[in-house]
Amino acid sequence: MTTANTKTPSLKTENTVWHNQQISKSQRAELKQQKPALLWYTGLSGSGKSTVANAVDALLFKLGCHSYLLDGDNVRHGLNGDLGFSDEARIENIRRISEVAKLFLDAGLVVSTAFISPFASDRALAKAKLEDGEFIEVFIDTPISVCEQRDPKGLYKKSRAGEIKDFTGIDSTYDVPTAPQIHVKTDTQSVEQCAEQIVGYLMAQGFISKADLS
């Protein structure tokens, strides 16, 4: 497990008070006829996190579920556009998205986050923010050799050439999940098979209603 030396930022300013909302999370979830859940996709760059997460989100939509996908690259275009890729910046990146995801869960949604999230300690912190059972770690397990062959953004090539520093799997650590709730292998499974496995888990655990996926 990797732990970076960084100070936890202040989570509130002076003279702020938490206001309880009139409508609860359980009421919002009951209206949607589902249980809030956070599908936390983690894996190396090029493993297929965003592709699988998008396929799952589309399948959930087809089934009439209320869901939303927070993609790592997309979030860095806005909310986290001020962050780099040092260990400290990666930790803050995950902290922010954890807080955003928690708000989406409060709205009763099934949320997906597709980030490398390389540090096990950060994934544990994200889990700790939620109620028991809401955090579902989805390990997109793809050998780095396959990821490097795919290299959809050309990042491995740039990293090998020394043009990118702190690249996960090359010169920055990736803590492999030891006990993920869902384990998929995109080098041997199709995107459709991965998506059906993940949605099947949500059905089996009672987060969404059981339905025919065919």
Side-chain angles (χ1 to χ4, degrees):
M1 180 186 296
T2 299
T3 303
N5 293 322
T6 184
K7 294 181 179 179
T8 302
S10 175
L11 298 182
K12 66 177 182 178
T13 57
E14 274 190 67
N15 304 317
T16 59
V17 178
W18 182 267
H19 289 271
N20 293 320
Q21 297 183 1
Q22 185 172 346
I23 308 301
S24 68
K25 182 204 299 191
S26 60
Q27 287 175 303
R28 297 182 192 280
E30 184 177 358
L31 182 66
K32 296 174 175 63
Q33 297 186 327
Q34 61 187 37
K35 289 170 57 180
L38 174 56
L39 291 165
W40 191 280
Y41 295 82
T42 178
L44 295 172
S45 177
S47 61
K49 297 182 299 300
S50 294
T51 301
V52 173
N54 267 289
V56 169
D57 200 47
L59 186 51
L60 289 173
F61 184 83
K62 181 180 178 181
L63 293 172
C65 301
H66 298 258
S67 63
Y68 196 79
L69 168 60
L70 294 164
D71 181 77
D73 280 359
N74 291 355
V75 171
R76 280 186 176 273
H77 277 276
L79 176 66
N80 294 346
D82 60 323
L83 298 176
F85 290 90
S86 66
D87 286 357
E88 291 77 11
R90 288 177 185 274
I91 290 170
E92 175 60 11
N93 184 53
I94 296 305
R95 188 196 70 80
R96 291 184 193 179
I97 201 60
S98 299
E99 294 291 345
V100 172
K102 184 179 178 181
L103 293 175
F104 277 78
L105 262 67
D106 284 341
L109 301 181
V110 174
V111 185
S112 293
T113 64
F115 294 78
I116 295 174
S117 55
F119 304 134
S121 56
D122 293 339
R123 301 194 295 266
L125 286 174
K127 179 180 179 179
K129 293 179 184 292
L130 308 181
E131 296 181 19
D132 288 345
E134 288 184 338
F135 184 92
I136 303 168
E137 188 173 47
V138 184
F139 180 28
I140 306 299
D141 185 3
T142 309
I144 191 170
S145 58
V146 175
C147 294
E148 195 159 359
Q149 287 173 6
R150 294 173 178 171
D151 203 11
K153 305 172 188 175
L155 300 179
Y156 285 95
K157 183 178 180 180
K158 290 180 179 179
S159 178
R160 295 292 188 189
E163 298 174 20
I164 297 178
K165 294 182 178 180
D166 301 319
F167 190 72
T168 303
I170 303 298
D171 57 356
S172 185
T173 301
Y174 178 72
D175 294 336
V176 176
T178 56
Q181 283 72 39
I182 304 175
H183 189 168
V184 299
K185 298 185 177 183
T186 62
D187 60 326
T188 58
Q189 297 172 269
S190 68
V191 173
E192 292 75 19
Q193 288 173 327
C194 293
E196 289 178 1
Q197 177 184 342
I198 294 164
V199 173
Y201 176 92
L202 293 175
M203 290 181 181
Q205 298 299 316
F207 289 100
I208 61 176
S209 300
K210 293 186 178 181
D212 186 0
L213 295 178
S214 61

